[in-house]
Every structure is written in structure tokens, then in C-alpha cells.
Amino acid sequence: MKLNIGETIKKLRKEREITQEEFAEILGVSCQSVSRWENNSCYPDIELIPTIAAFFGISTDKLMGVDEATGKKAVDRYLNDFQASISVGNIDKCIRIARAGVAEFPNNYALLNKLMYALFAAGDETGNIPDWKENMEKYDAEIVALGERIMKHCHDTQIKFEATDRLAFHHCEMGRKNIGRSIYETLPSIYNCRESAIWWALSEEERLPHTRKYIGKAYSTLSDALYKLMDLVSAEDALKVIEKMDALDRLIYDNNVPNYTWARSSMARHRAECYMRLNRYDEAIRQLKISAQMAMEFDNRPDELKTTSFLLGEKLYKKTNFETTDSRSLREILRDTWLAEKEFDAIRDTKEFIEILEQLN
């Protein structure tokens, strides 16, 4: 895409009746730099683009001479391609798509955030990325630079806080917990979140769909907290936590909990691990059979599926909305990773366990 930054700067500068020398002094660059921009010999440094756009009171897209409608379509295409790739765990392709998008739209924070996400995901040890450890080191500085840039300049609070959260986690993963913690502490409290506070400003027509969406997010947050609790307690108490999670699911979905989710298969597998630690092998086998069945249902789920419940209303689940760093099917992950854990060694040679493996094949 041809950028028209120089022509736009020249036009706006003259409208403001500012000389090249004055404009250069304002930006802290040489007069020769401004002249080269306006002659289309080169572009301004990428870090200057937001400053120049803000000075003239225009968007960065407008500064670069991009037609906003055309630009939005192109950005949406990159974002859709990215989502399609992350839904099947193709992280290398995600990086290529995000880099191409940023090359074309260097100041689009949605694309910068996706690039940061893809580079971060490339270092996920839980996926099937052979070079995950090397990627953590290779992309460390770039992840930090992208995160700090988004935190400093992005005005979209959703993107800004998402990148802030990811940057803090990355620092913790890299052994810089003190930096990560200081960044985490800049995030707003759950009690001051937009979803809760904005209710008072909504119209009557907006309140019901908003409240149901808020319930869905609160459900996800509570489920995440319960998963974390499960890892901190004994096997016996972990089973109690899982029972609470089951009860929460039944409450949310009116006792009609869908089995085609990754979490349902994972929960059954966690139950099996707890039973193994308690030497309750028959119950562990029963849970592994459930996990295997749910894994197959997940892998064979339709591209789109609608559900209806009293608390959530009608929800549309799209296959491409799923995000993973593992390109394998859930059956393969269950067979080759989860069931390979040492917790299952005591039943590994039993007829029932072997039958489960064969079923997953």
C-alpha cells in the first residue's frame, strides 16, 4: 500500500502556516528530515507518527493518507485471518499475518496487540511448539517493546489492558516477577470494571443484553479462579472444587451443560488425576472414559452452535473463536500428553486404559 504521509504533512503544515523549520523544532528533528518526508524520500520514524497525528488533530490512518473505510476492511481481513489461524494452533502463521498487518498499518493497535499475542504464544510450553523455550528468549525484547508502546499510546482501553496483562505475565514468565507485579498493580480492580459500572448509563433496551454479557464474563472469571484454586489444594479438596465448578456450570446452563467444550474434557481428566492420587482407580478410569468421549465431541463440534439459557440468553459459539497454541486435535492431546502423565502409571497396562487409548486413535 502506498502511503501519502509526506503529502498530508505538507498540506496540513501549510494550512497551519508553519514553516518546515518551526515544525522540525516542534518535533525535535532536523529541518532536512521534514523536507525529505514532504518530498516522499522517506517516512517519519514510526514512533513519531502518533505525535504528528495528535499535533494536527487527526487519526494516524488519515495522516498516512489511508482511506478509513478501505483501511478498516483491510485490518478486519488481517484480524479474521489471524483468528482462523489461532483457532487451530498455527502460531507461525499468526506471526506472519500480524507482521504483514503491522507492516501495512504500523500504528493500528489492534494489529500491534495481535503481533504481541502471537509472539507471546510462540513461547507457550503447553502447546506443541518445539522451539517454545528458544522463542521466549528470541521474542522477549520485542514483546516488551510492543507491550510498553501499547500501554503508553493506545486509547482503546480493552486493547491497552489486555496488552498490560500479557506484558506483566511475560515478565513473570521470564523471571522478572517484581516488574510483572508492578505492572499488574496498575490494572483496575474487578470492583471498578466497565461492565459493572456502565449499567447505570444504559438505556432500558440495552440493560438486559448487557447484563447477560456481564454474567458470562463473571462466569468465566469465577471459573478461572476455581481452576487456580484446584491446583493449590489436596486431591480430596480438588475434587470438592470440581464439584463446585460442576454446580456452577449447571446453574449457568440450566442443567443442560454442553459437552463440546475443551474445559469439560479437561475437568474430567483432572478428576481422574485426583482419584489416582487417592488410589481410587475404578473411578479414575470412569472419568477418563468421560474425558475421551468429550474430547471426541469437541473435535467433531459444528462450525457454529447456538445455546440458550436463562442467565446467558442466546449465545452463538463459533469454531473459529477457540484459541490455542496446540495444532493437535483434543483427542491427540489427551492421548499423547495428558494420559502420558505419571499419575496414570498404575493403570497404564490395564485393559480399560488401553481401550481408552484405542478409542482416541
Side-chain angles (χ1 to χ4, degrees):
M1 179 184 71
K2 184 180 183 299
L3 301 179
N4 300 311
I5 302 176
E7 296 171 17
T8 306
I9 290 175
K10 185 175 183 179
K11 175 177 175 292
L12 294 171
R13 178 181 61 77
K14 288 189 173 182
E15 287 176 358
R16 291 280 189 97
E17 297 182 351
I18 301 171
T19 66
Q20 286 187 343
E21 291 80 2
E22 291 169 332
F23 190 53
E25 187 176 348
I26 290 168
L27 296 176
V29 299
S30 68
C31 183
Q32 289 83 359
S33 293
V34 176
S35 177
R36 286 196 293 270
W37 300 343
E38 295 186 358
N39 290 332
N40 290 316
S41 300
C42 65
Y43 296 138
D45 186 84
I46 194 169
E47 296 294 333
L48 282 175
I49 298 293
T51 304
I52 297 171
F55 177 79
F56 289 122
I58 61 174
S59 68
T60 55
D61 280 350
K62 190 169 182 180
L63 173 65
M64 293 186 288
V66 177
D67 175 72
E68 294 195 15
T70 303
K72 185 180 183 306
K73 286 182 180 178
V75 169
D76 287 346
R77 185 175 64 251
Y78 282 120
L79 295 176
N80 290 336
D81 289 347
F82 184 98
Q83 188 61 42
S85 297
I86 195 99
S87 71
V88 293
N90 194 337
I91 303 302
D92 287 341
K93 188 174 181 180
C94 287
I95 293 174
R96 292 196 299 272
I97 291 168
R99 287 204 188 283
V102 169
E104 187 170 355
F105 300 96
N107 290 285
N108 185 284
Y109 287 100
L111 292 172
L112 288 166
N113 186 42
K114 292 300 184 185
L115 176 56
M116 181 192 181
Y117 178 19
L119 297 176
F120 174 79
D124 183 4
E125 64 177 310
T126 64
N128 63 332
I129 303 170
D131 302 326
W132 67 268
K133 190 174 289 187
E134 291 84 350
N135 289 340
M136 287 180 71
E137 296 290 342
K138 181 169 69 172
Y139 297 132
D140 181 20
E142 189 173 5
I143 291 169
V144 172
L146 285 165
E148 290 179 346
R149 180 180 171 191
I150 294 169
M151 284 178 61
K152 184 177 181 180
H153 297 295
C154 182
H155 297 298
D156 184 313
T157 54
Q158 180 64 37
I159 292 175
K160 180 177 180 178
F161 289 146
E162 183 182 316
T164 301
D165 186 5
R166 188 183 301 117
L167 177 61
F169 186 76
H170 175 70
H171 277 302
C172 292
E173 288 286 278
M174 298 302 293
R176 303 185 290 262
K177 284 195 173 184
N178 57 328
I179 299 176
R181 182 165 184 164
S182 67
I183 294 173
Y184 275 132
E185 288 174 350
T186 68
L187 291 170
S189 162
I190 191 172
Y191 298 107
N192 305 114
C193 70
R194 178 185 60 195
E195 285 78 8
S196 173
I198 202 173
W199 190 89
W200 301 101
L202 300 177
S203 67
E204 289 297 324
E205 295 76 17
E206 292 174 310
R207 283 182 172 178
L208 179 58
H210 169 81
T211 302
R212 281 177 162 157
K213 188 175 181 180
Y214 179 29
I215 290 170
K217 290 187 176 182
Y219 163 58
S220 297
T221 301
L222 181 55
S223 295
D224 180 61
L226 289 171
Y227 259 107
K228 288 182 171 68
L229 176 62
M230 185 172 58
D231 289 335
L232 300 173
V233 296
S234 66
E236 194 168 357
D237 284 342
L239 286 171
K240 294 177 183 177
V241 174
I242 294 173
E243 288 301 323
K244 299 294 184 184
M245 295 172 73
D246 256 346
L248 176 62
D249 288 346
R250 291 194 298 272
L251 170 69
I252 290 293
Y253 288 102
D254 301 337
N255 290 316
N256 188 26
V257 184
N259 286 336
Y260 52 81
T261 66
W262 179 289
R264 297 294 293 172
S265 178
S266 177
M267 191 184 299
R269 184 261 304 185
H270 279 301
R271 262 201 181 99
E273 288 179 348
C274 292
Y275 285 133
M276 289 300 299
R277 294 187 194 117
L278 297 170
N279 297 323
R280 294 160 63 176
Y281 299 151
D282 289 344
E283 289 167 287
I285 286 288
R286 184 168 61 84
Q287 289 300 320
L288 289 180
K289 288 179 180 178
I290 294 172
S291 182
Q293 181 60 39
M294 290 179 174
M296 289 187 287
E297 290 187 29
F298 176 82
D299 288 341
N300 294 315
R301 70 196 186 282
D303 291 338
E304 291 187 359
L305 188 66
K306 285 184 180 180
T307 63
T308 303
S309 69
F310 176 71
L311 292 178
L312 298 182
E314 187 178 274
K315 288 186 68 74
L316 175 65
Y317 293 91
K318 293 185 177 181
K319 204 169 186 177
T320 53
N321 286 347
F322 181 69
E323 296 183 356
T324 179
T325 58
D326 203 313
S327 60
R328 296 173 295 177
S329 67
L330 184 51
R331 282 181 304 230
E332 292 173 306
I333 294 171
L334 178 59
R335 182 193 67 204
D336 299 337
T337 301
W338 295 351
L339 295 189
E341 293 173 357
K342 63 182 180 180
E343 281 86 354
F344 301 112
D345 285 352
I347 60 172
R348 193 168 304 282
D349 295 328
T350 63
K351 177 184 176 183
E352 292 88 348
F353 192 88
I354 293 170
E355 286 176 350
I356 291 171
L357 294 179
E358 290 173 351
Q359 182 185 13
L360 292 170
N361 286 333

